[in-house]
Amino acid sequence: MNDAADRLPRVAYFSMEIALDPAVPTYSGGLGVLAGDMLQSAADLAVALIGVTLVSRQGYFRQEIAGGMQVERPEPWEPARFAEPVAAKVPLDMGGRRVWVGAWRYLVTSRSDGAPPVPVLLLDTDLPENAPEDRRLTDFLYGGDERYRLRQEMVLGIAGVRMLAALGVQVTRYHLNEGHAALLALELLRMRCAAAQSPAAPEALAAVRRQCVFTTHTPVPAGHDQFAYPLALAELGSMVQEPLLRTLAGDERLNMTRLALSLSGWVNGVAQRHAETASGMFPGYTVHAIGNGVHPWTWASDAHRLLYARHVPHWCHEPERLMMANRIALPEIAAAHAAAKRLLLERAAEFPGGAALRPERCTLGFARRMTAYKRPELLFADLERLRRIAGRYPLQVLLAGKAHPHDLEGKREIERLLGFAQQLGAELPVVFLPGYGLELARLMVAGVDVWLNTPQRPLEASGTSGMKAALNGVPSLSVLDGWWIEGCAEGVTGWAVGGQGPEDSGADALSLYSKLEEQVLPLFYQRPAQWTELTRSTIAHNGSFFNSHRMVRRYVLEAYAR
Ligand SMILES: *Cc1c(COP(=O)(O)O)cnc(C)c1O
């Protein structure tokens, strides 16, 4: 880091995945997309942040659909085409071996005149001085076994802190975006204890806590990384004393969420309900609720960018101004949506079944990580009922989403969805679009008519795709969980599926069908002007609020400046 702007004191934002560009596959899904939106908003608002992540040279994976199932391919990319190598490299001992870690510097450019870019360090072990096995450590995002995963977290957390120091970056706060980054706090503690020549004095712990902010992203226990102590202690070596580690990270297994909680002075959940759920899971901690948001310019379709530029000056810098969307004439709102829908259907036509889709038909969109608790099959719970609805009101469905290669249940969900598509045939066209990522997401959230989300309550921490849809005037039909508890105004921004009581998939499916048949579809087909009014109020209410500018401003004022 060599010019004056690079010597600014900065908040270091650590995330195992960050979505930087559609051609840079250093992300798997929502967590990485949120991190990318956060950095883009920081750049737009001239907040001095620096991102730290892994280079993930082989990406997460490229999804193909073949033989009725998901097939995973590597997604290699060339860092030198997008980023500059930094001059420093730092040592990291793991399992008694020394590994050298280098980095690339990627710049997130600002959309505001004159504001400096936000740099991102992409940590890379593919250096000639490393053993062949170690050179592959930063290849596959979330790949490999438990040991590979732990080593990746050591690269992110420990080597990440060392790299910032080697580059002379003055770090004011460390932000742990999910537990994967927890080892950074352990490294800060090690440094303080080494400097004071004492094992973890209370002052050292307090000082680390002042430096660290932790955002937890899921109430699903399997989403919290845990490692067996024999493995963890063998890999971490003498970095930390075992009794202390067990006190900080849990006695039975090294739990990265526990470790992050123990060493962070400020903890955040990603929506109001999630913060409440997390408070219950972690008694004794205050969990704040800075809700997630999405980057306005990134997620608005081309047509919506033009529309807002015409009617809502400065919307890119101050997306709150979209609350005045009600000034925009309805035909212009409808025309922007029609343009976005056309682009999406053109893309869909490239895939099996996609040519059967019609622009005049009401189109439901569902795209998320394919895993059991997201319940992608809820819409298909009763095919007879669904057929009857589609018989009264023409309907078509677009689906997308990847399942983690080790999530066999998630992969089976995809197979069953493809099976439903076959069974429904021409009566109700259902098309699965492979390769859900930034580019496809941007087409889908703007181009469908209704955004569907049917997770099992209360397991959806936030969800952000519905916010992207709202920014493009696409209402949600969604289970009341995560952000939608805050964003749902019935008949104004969309519709709620089910209630807020105990989980009941049967009742949720019935509610979904009756909302579709009695409210959504009649409005869409019989009262088109009122439909467009609803899409416009979706922009005014939710497009204006659930943005990452608000999220960054709140983190700056409430978490970083504390
Ligand atoms: C926004 C986004 C997500 C997360 O959306 P959810 O609503 O949390 O499912 C996942 N993947 C991609 C590619 C996205 O753009």
Side-chain angles (χ1 to χ4, degrees):
M1 311 265 142
N2 22 37
D3 55 38
D6 282 344
R7 285 196 296 274
L8 287 173
R10 288 179 187 276
V11 171
Y13 184 80
F14 280 60
S15 183
M16 189 60 121
E17 50 173 306
I18 304 182
L20 297 164
D21 182 291
V24 175
T26 51
Y27 68 99
S28 79
L31 182 71
V33 173
L34 180 87
D37 284 4
M38 171 102 184
L39 297 187
Q40 293 207 59
S41 280
D44 289 353
L45 301 174
V47 173
L49 216 81
I50 181 168
V52 180
T53 190
L54 303 186
V55 70
S56 300
R57 281 170 175 271
Q58 304 289 329
Y60 177 50
F61 67 88
R62 193 163 56 78
Q63 180 193 52
E64 289 176 12
I65 299 294
M69 56 191 282
Q70 166 175 298
V71 178
E72 298 117 25
R73 311 264 183 228
E75 190 167 21
W77 69 289
E78 190 46 67
R81 282 187 49 216
F82 297 88
E84 300 219 315
V86 304
K89 61 186 176 196
V90 297
L92 173 62
D93 291 331
M94 47 174 71
R97 280 202 321 288
R98 174 142 297 188
V99 176
W100 287 91
V101 182
W104 301 82
R105 182 166 56 157
Y106 179 98
L107 294 178
V108 177
T109 50
S110 173
R111 300 201 45 77
S112 305
D113 289 341
V118 164
V120 182
L121 298 175
L122 304 165
L123 301 166
D124 189 0
T125 62
D126 189 11
L127 302 178
E129 48 272 66
N130 288 333
E133 180 197 357
D134 297 332
R135 296 182 69 162
R136 306 274 69 90
L137 278 176
T138 49
D139 271 2
F140 288 100
L141 177 61
Y142 305 130
D145 57 7
E146 209 185 351
R147 182 184 308 274
Y148 186 85
R149 177 82 160 241
L150 177 61
R151 289 180 168 180
Q152 287 195 329
E153 296 188 16
M154 292 172 70
V155 173
L156 176 68
I158 304 169
V161 168
R162 293 178 186 171
M163 182 59 74
L164 290 168
L167 295 172
V169 181
Q170 284 184 58
V171 179
T172 53
R173 289 278 186 274
Y174 292 84
H175 191 153
L176 290 63
N177 189 44
E178 193 47 300
H180 313 127
L183 293 174
L184 89 80
L186 201 60
E187 170 65 2
L188 296 177
L189 184 64
R190 184 197 64 79
M191 286 160 58
R192 291 203 175 258
C193 296
Q197 295 191 335
S198 88
E203 309 83 71
L205 284 168
V208 170
R209 286 183 189 127
R210 270 195 302 279
Q211 284 178 291
C212 292
V213 169
F214 171 43
T215 299
T216 177
H217 285 267
T218 177
V220 180
H224 296 230
D225 271 338
Q226 302 195 21
F227 298 97
Y229 272 113
L231 170 71
L233 292 166
E235 292 298 320
L236 292 167
S238 58
M239 173 180 181
V240 59
Q241 290 174 341
E242 183 176 345
L244 175 64
L245 190 58
R246 286 181 186 266
T247 312
L248 297 172
D251 197 38
E252 297 205 339
R253 290 164 72 77
L254 194 172
N255 180 318
M256 290 296 178
T257 302
R258 291 258 159 227
L259 183 60
L261 287 167
S262 298
L263 293 176
S264 298
W266 208 90
V267 177
N268 196 62
V270 289
Q272 207 73 47
R273 172 59 54 85
H274 174 231
E276 288 158 21
T277 309
S279 295
M281 290 171 73
F282 312 119
Y285 294 95
T286 303
V287 182
H288 298 268
I290 297 178
N292 281 345
V294 301
H295 186 249
W297 195 81
T298 298
W299 290 107
S301 80
D302 293 354
H304 288 87
R305 288 175 183 172
L306 291 173
L307 180 70
Y308 299 153
R310 275 202 306 278
H311 295 283
V312 191
H314 311 294
W315 72 281
C316 272
H317 193 76
E318 237 184 315
E320 296 81 354
R321 290 175 185 258
L322 290 172
M323 69 190 284
M324 301 309 284
N326 287 339
R327 287 178 183 167
I328 305 174
L330 292 177
E332 287 190 69
I333 297 274
H337 180 65
K341 193 169 183 179
R342 201 173 322 116
L343 278 184
L344 172 63
L345 296 188
E346 276 170 23
R347 168 61 57 88
E350 297 167 13
F351 297 98
L357 302 173
R358 293 287 166 265
E360 64 281 3
R361 225 178 263 156
C362 186
T363 306
L364 302 185
F366 181 99
R368 21 195 47 79
R369 181 159 59 85
M370 289 293 164
T371 193
Y373 82 84
K374 303 261 190 183
R375 290 196 304 189
E377 296 175 60
L378 196 77
L379 177 65
F380 305 100
D382 180 349
L383 292 186
E384 274 320 304
R385 175 96 195 257
L386 192 56
R387 277 199 186 94
R388 277 204 308 278
I389 296 173
R392 284 181 74 187
Y393 301 103
L395 194 60
Q396 57 196 9
V397 182
L398 284 172
L399 303 172
K402 293 175 170 181
H404 186 281
H406 295 168
D407 182 356
L408 299 181
E409 187 46 44
K411 289 162 79 159
R412 264 184 236 118
E413 305 259 16
I414 295 178
E415 292 165 31
R416 287 195 294 264
L417 291 175
L418 294 165
F420 294 136
Q422 280 209 322
Q423 290 177 55
L424 290 164
E427 279 176 90
L428 198 177
V430 176
V431 177
F432 190 98
L433 302 176
Y436 190 49
L438 286 179
E439 211 213 337
L440 186 54
R442 187 157 171 264
L443 289 172
M444 286 185 78
V445 296
V448 300
D449 296 303
V450 178
W451 194 252
L452 187 66
N453 190 22
T454 52
Q456 213 175 308
R457 295 182 302 273
L459 300 182
E460 181 85 302
S462 163
T464 50
S465 52
M467 303 174 184
K468 301 166 192 166
L471 185 68
N472 292 286
V474 171
S476 283
L477 174 59
S478 173
V479 159
L480 284 169
D481 198 10
W483 84 282
W484 189 234
I485 295 174
E486 295 158 59
C488 177
E490 189 77 11
V492 178
T493 61
W495 306 266
V497 171
Q500 290 207 60
E503 188 52 48
D504 182 346
S505 280
D508 286 352
L510 287 178
S511 161
L512 173 57
Y513 292 134
S514 61
K515 285 276 161 91
L516 265 178
E517 189 165 25
E518 289 152 27
Q519 302 195 32
V520 179
L521 293 165
L523 189 67
F524 183 87
Y525 284 108
Q526 292 157 9
R527 283 170 286 152
Q530 268 170 278
W531 177 271
T532 305
E533 229 174 282
L534 184 145
T535 75
R536 187 173 66 178
S537 61
T538 298
I539 299 167
H541 286 260
N542 286 350
S544 66
F545 182 80
F546 292 96
N547 61 74
S548 49
H549 285 16
R550 171 191 49 80
M551 174 176 75
V552 167
R553 290 188 184 109
R554 285 195 62 193
Y555 272 119
V556 168
L557 288 174
E558 297 170 46
Y560 303 156
R562 98 198 112 88

